[in-house]
Amino acid sequence: MELLIKYGIAACFVSLVMTSFGWPVPEEISLLGIGVLVHKGSQHWIIGWIVGFLGVTAGDVIAWFMGKRVGLEPKGFVSKLIGKDQIQEIEQFYRKWGDWAIAIARQVPGMRFPTFFFSGASAVPFWRFYLIDGLAALITVNVYFWLGYNFGDEVEEKIIPWIKEFK
């Protein structure tokens, strides 16, 4: 969190996008960081919110495009990386929830990349993916941005431990 605040909104944006590549900082922490920056007056709230929303959805779009490009061939790189069992679980999740799978995965850390990757690999049209993901991202962005903004001085003591406990 300290690094995100030290290097500002650009670092928060990069951190949000890099989450799709396995960056070890969860997007919730980056969104909290943006809220804290706005709380401290170093960023206007509209700029902070837009950067947060675009950072979150840009990472999701990267995962979707990777899925579209790579696919889910049984002997392909991704299938070997995550395994047949996890791919089957994601397929079942999609069959059960349909487009809601995208909205649900957006709210659950650890499910985002595989679900968004699968969306691209299974030919969910980009416009539909982005519409659903964008609407679901409104929840994520607003909640964590608001927490960072309203509890800016207490984020490290109260909010981050709560997020760890929740997960």
Side-chain angles (χ1 to χ4, degrees), residues 2 7 23 41 58 62-63 72 78 98 101 104 108 126 136 143-144 146 153:
E2 291 174 23
Y7 292 105
W23 182 251
I62 289 169
L72 290 172
V78 174
I104 294 167
V108 182
F126 177 75
V143 166
Y144 289 100
W146 181 85
D153 296 327

Side-chain angles (χ1 to χ4, degrees), residues 23-87:
W23 182 251
V25 178
E27 69 182 28
E28 293 83 3
I29 301 299
S30 300
L31 290 168
L32 282 171
I34 293 172
V36 171
L37 288 169
V38 172
H39 171 83
K40 294 184 182 287
S42 63
Q43 197 58 245
H44 191 274
W45 74 269
I46 290 177
I47 300 296
W49 189 90
I50 290 170
V51 166
F53 182 81
L54 292 178
V56 164
T57 57
D60 300 347
V61 165
I62 289 169
W64 184 90
F65 273 109
M66 288 172 69
K68 180 142 180 85
R69 177 94 168 105
V70 175
L72 290 172
E73 297 176 25
K75 296 185 186 226
F77 168 75
V78 174
S79 294
K80 289 178 183 176
L81 183 68
I82 63 175
K84 288 181 187 178
D85 293 340
Q86 189 173 17
I87 290 174

